[in-house]
Amino acid sequence: MPPMDTLAPPVETRTNLIGLSREALTLALLERGEKPFRAKQVWHWLYHQGARDFAAMTDLSKDLRVRLEDHFVLRRPAVAREQTSTDGTRKWLMEFADGQKAESVFIPEDDRGAVCVSSQVGCTLTCRFCHTGTQRLVRNLTSAEILGQFMVARDSYGEWPTPNDERRMISNIVLMGMGEPLYNFDEVATAMRIVMADDGIALGKRRITLSTSGVVPEIRRCGAELGVNLAISLHAPDDDTRSMIMPINKKYPLKELMQACRDYPGASNARRITFEYVMLKGINDTAAHARALIRLVRDIPCKFNLIPFNPWPGTPYECSDAATVEAFAQHLWDAGFSAPVRTPRGRDILAACGQLKTDSEKLSAKEIRLRESEAAWAEKEAAL
Ligand code: SAH
Ligand code: SF4
């Protein structure tokens, strides 16, 4: 029998090239004695052709491919589970190298569709209506893991090499999966810059939408550094209601949030900010709420996305009645705002908004209370 330690799986020490910024990829190859034009070739193989291994890179010499293999890997997340809904929505449970998992969803429309990717395992925020919010933050995802989710979706639909815009089924990315993307901005930004690069996946910034619960300073950074479309999880028109369902509002109240929206670069009638608004029965869905909402956003080029609340086991909330949702939407339309009601997709496979959740550890009720009292203390301290 061989000694026990030889049975342990080898620890991977090679660098993953996927998810490295262009500069980092060039540097990694330079350190191995490869000229910068090699980085250009490899980039093309990774992000235009979708190569899964070095052997596929047929315009590199065999020697070079072997050398690359010695030092580098091309690692995508593994698919731990794939489910397809009766409405065509597809959900993947992605597993990363350390065994952590996150979910990603593809939502097909007629001739296009968006991949919804996660940015964290769990979330530090505890929005009351969100399933992910009951989960402890385990860790931020790396750029490789964020980008990898999109690449796995493309693998699943055979969309390599990168098709022309008109022929793409996977035409958009929404950062609306698990986690708060603006609490992991650097990794999200690296992944999105790779997605946007012309000589690769080449998805324009108008095809990317980042959704945030309202991390004001990072909204400004996102505008300045990425310029992607912005969606704000608004969900209430006044601070009292919003702070009750979204504790982050105590840190960044509506006045500051609305100013960050006004200042968002490119916000215009052609490129409006989306306000997501989850319809919660008896909480935020009356005519008075609609009127307050209209007053709140009247000077911001924006549109609404009304989301019927998707229930999950143990939730204290219910979705507003259909007639209430319709009346609420009508108020907004009458005031000149686009306010479609989002049709829930993939509910049968728990792929709809706010239903994503992996089996990583849950917060106990006590921990949720503790977090809240910590937030309250921080707030008091800040006021002193
Ligand atoms: N953390 C980011 C992005 C992920 S959540 C954010 O909060 O914006 C994606 C969207 O789903 C958000 O608008 C969120 O408020 C909404 N959502 C969360 N739970 C929901 C639920 N149970 N039903 C419907 N929408 C929900
Ligand atoms: Fe986190 Fe967004 Fe869920 Fe709030 S709604 S808990 S920010 S994932």
Side-chain angles (χ1 to χ4, degrees):
M1 254 216 21
M4 282 306 279
D5 57 356
T6 62
L7 291 177
V11 177
E12 181 58 80
T13 53
R14 294 173 296 173
T15 305
N16 188 11
L17 290 185
I18 292 191
L20 294 187
S21 67
R22 194 187 293 270
E23 300 71 34
L25 175 72
T26 310
L27 195 65
L29 295 184
L30 262 179
E31 281 170 355
R32 296 286 160 200
E34 305 301 339
K35 302 234 161 56
F37 80 94
R38 293 288 180 211
K40 201 171 161 48
Q41 281 177 303
V42 170
W43 182 277
H44 183 83
W45 278 109
L46 296 184
Y47 302 122
H48 182 76
Q49 299 288 356
R52 312 281 288 270
D53 50 44
F54 292 106
M57 302 184 178
T58 45
D59 62 352
L60 306 184
S61 73
K62 202 154 175 231
D63 263 14
L64 175 57
R65 282 184 261 158
V66 171
R67 282 206 307 279
L68 290 175
E69 182 107 48
D70 284 344
H71 300 289
F72 304 109
V73 284
L74 307 179
R75 192 191 310 114
R76 286 154 155 73
V79 177
R81 190 178 60 220
E82 181 179 291
Q83 291 167 281
T84 305
S85 155
T86 47
D87 69 15
T89 301
R90 188 170 290 179
K91 180 169 88 163
W92 298 268
L93 178 64
M94 308 256 184
E95 181 167 350
F96 307 112
D98 64 352
Q100 289 299 336
K101 299 187 186 83
E103 290 188 313
S104 325
V105 178
F106 177 65
I107 307 138
E109 304 294 341
D110 288 344
D111 56 350
R112 57 206 290 270
V115 179
C116 175
V117 304
S118 295
S119 53
Q120 299 181 310
V121 179
C123 189
T124 45
L125 300 170
T126 48
C127 305
R128 291 276 185 283
F129 47 80
C130 176
H131 208 187
T132 311
T134 62
Q135 220 185 328
R136 182 189 295 281
L137 174 76
V138 178
R139 65 173 176 82
N140 283 337
L141 294 180
T142 62
S143 62
E145 292 164 340
I146 296 165
L147 175 66
Q149 297 171 59
F150 177 76
M151 294 176 80
V152 166
R154 292 260 300 242
D155 295 343
S156 178
Y157 285 88
E159 275 207 337
W160 301 108
T162 296
N164 297 334
D165 268 353
E166 316 75 64
R167 295 198 354 261
R168 288 185 198 212
M169 179 70 185
I170 303 185
S171 57
N172 292 69
I173 298 189
V174 292
L175 285 150
M176 291 188 186
M178 298 166 62
E180 169 48 61
L182 293 187
Y183 276 156
N184 187 18
F185 183 72
D186 291 333
E187 298 296 316
V188 166
T190 302
M192 292 306 113
R193 281 193 198 101
I194 296 173
V195 162
M196 289 191 274
D198 283 345
D199 54 346
I201 294 169
L203 213 64
K205 63 180 179 184
R206 281 157 201 246
R207 295 184 172 272
I208 302 175
T209 303
L210 183 146
S211 171
T212 177
S213 58
V215 189
V216 168
E218 304 297 313
I219 291 176
R220 297 187 188 284
R221 255 188 97 190
C222 179
E225 295 178 30
L226 283 182
V228 296
N229 297 326
L230 185 66
I232 302 281
S233 293
L234 190 57
H235 306 324
D238 60 86
D239 281 321
D240 285 348
T241 314
R242 194 163 190 270
S243 296
M244 181 177 78
I245 56 176
M246 300 185 72
I248 192 174
N249 191 69
K250 295 178 195 155
K251 194 159 179 196
Y252 303 114
L254 283 170
K255 190 159 178 260
E256 289 176 33
L257 181 57
M258 292 300 114
Q259 193 53 45
C261 291
R262 275 180 212 108
D263 297 343
Y264 197 74
S268 65
N269 267 336
R271 191 146 174 269
R272 289 168 289 171
I273 288 174
T274 303
F275 287 121
E276 295 159 280
Y277 199 94
V278 61
M279 300 300 301
L280 300 168
K281 189 177 201 160
I283 305 284
N284 64 356
D285 61 354
T286 65
H289 288 118
R291 283 192 298 273
L293 197 53
I294 292 163
R295 279 197 301 278
L296 182 73
V297 305
R298 67 176 166 235
D299 60 345
I300 300 176
C302 67
K303 56 189 172 196
F304 287 93
N305 216 327
L306 301 182
I307 316 175
F309 170 65
N310 289 307
W312 37 272
T315 174
Y317 297 115
E318 280 176 65
C319 183
S320 313
D321 309 324
T324 310
V325 176
E326 213 171 293
F328 196 90
Q330 197 57 52
H331 275 293
L332 300 177
W333 286 107
D334 289 347
F337 294 100
S338 160
V341 179
R342 192 187 288 173
T343 320
R345 301 290 301 266
R347 266 187 174 174
D348 54 336
I349 56 168
L350 283 184
C353 291
Q355 291 186 313
L356 302 186
K357 184 173 179 307
T358 54
D359 50 9
S360 77
E361 240 181 300
K362 273 177 71 166
L363 284 172
S364 65
K366 191 169 153 206
E367 284 171 315
I368 291 179
R369 282 198 303 276
L370 185 70
R371 268 196 199 180
E372 278 163 8
S373 61
E374 278 168 4
W377 272 111
E379 210 187 321
K380 276 190 197 133
E381 267 172 14
L384 286 177

